Amino acid sequence: MSVNGPNQERQQVADVVEVLLFDVFGTVVDWRGSLIRQLETLSNLRGWEMDAPSFADQWRSRYGPSMNEVLAGIIPWANLDELHHTSLLALLDEHSIAANPDDIDAMVGFWHRLDAWPEAPSGIRRLKRRFIVGTMSNGNVSLLTDMAKYADLDWDVVLSAELARRYKRDLESYRYNVSLLDRPMAKVMMVAAHPGELDAVADLGMKTAFIYRPSEFGDLGQSLAPDQHVDLACNGIDELATALGV
């Protein structure tokens, strides 16, 4: 997949946009590969019988359902660290892995130390020359701040569902966070590797950029549907910077 749209259309988008907000998990960082690496290191140290790739996938599969319980009011507000902690305890029990409290805290902390996709740090720095560049993530502020330091992600601003106390893709999460920047939706571009999120924010009038990450879920990445419209579709963040003229 390459940058879509004629040069004139891309320039028109670049002339309108003032802010780029990024989904983080999968779009900017390789959450799966990073988790697997850290889980393997800890499990080898502790002598656990753990299939790290499967464990990472199972842990990630509880991410959406736990946030939906918060949105539905089934459980009170909890930030992503707290949700990860709760789902981890259940998963360890199911796998009969006896982890001590320090190990559990360390594993929750793995999400704070995720490796960026190779071109992401340089692409973000390029984009900052012209645009306000920040996060729009379900990660809590402390998680995103730690990750930025670890992965060399030079954000202008860290925005989070935690600030709105509403998880994505609840539209109020986007509305609230964009309002903090005092910019109209039409001047904000959402950048994500997940087509469903881009569909949601397009309804708010935000511009959209799709980043293809073919190995986010192992060998299976998400792709645009043939009839789905986005303003830009790129193979990486450096390519996005080129498309936007920086």
Side-chain angles (χ1 to χ4, degrees), residues 161-177:
E162 182 179 38
L163 300 175
R165 299 178 78 86
R166 300 294 293 175
Y167 281 113
K168 303 187 308 181
R169 301 170 189 165
D170 186 305
L171 296 183
E172 185 56 32
S173 185
Y174 303 95
R175 290 192 187 98
Y176 181 85
N177 278 281

Side-chain angles (χ1 to χ4, degrees), residues 15-141:
D15 288 343
V16 169
V17 170
E18 296 181 5
V19 179
L20 299 175
L21 296 182
F22 283 77
D23 169 73
V24 176
F25 299 111
T27 304
V28 179
V29 299
D30 175 15
W31 63 264
R32 187 176 188 269
S34 303
L35 277 186
I36 290 169
R37 172 179 52 77
Q38 295 178 92
L39 287 167
E40 286 177 340
T41 298
L42 183 59
S43 63
N44 290 336
L45 183 66
R46 296 289 184 259
W48 297 336
E49 292 186 9
M50 175 189 286
D51 179 339
S54 176
F55 194 95
D57 290 340
Q58 291 176 59
W59 196 2
R60 177 62 173 76
S61 73
R62 298 170 188 236
Y63 173 89
S66 64
M67 291 188 296
N68 289 339
E69 288 186 341
V70 173
L71 287 171
I74 297 171
I75 60 175
W77 169 260
N79 70 27
L80 193 57
D81 275 341
E82 293 166 329
L83 295 180
H84 280 153
H85 186 273
T86 299
S87 59
L88 176 62
L89 292 179
L91 194 55
L92 289 169
D93 185 62
E94 290 173 16
H95 286 262
S96 300
I97 295 174
N100 63 45
D102 288 342
D103 290 336
I104 292 167
D105 288 344
M107 283 188 276
V108 173
F110 290 169
W111 292 91
H112 292 232
R113 296 185 302 278
L114 303 180
D115 299 324
W117 295 112
E119 89 300 334
S122 62
I124 289 166
R125 283 192 289 270
R126 286 176 61 191
L127 289 164
K128 276 168 55 74
R129 298 171 191 166
R130 178 170 178 181
F131 305 101
I132 296 169
V133 180
T135 66
M136 181 57 231
S137 172
N138 283 322
N140 40 295
V141 172

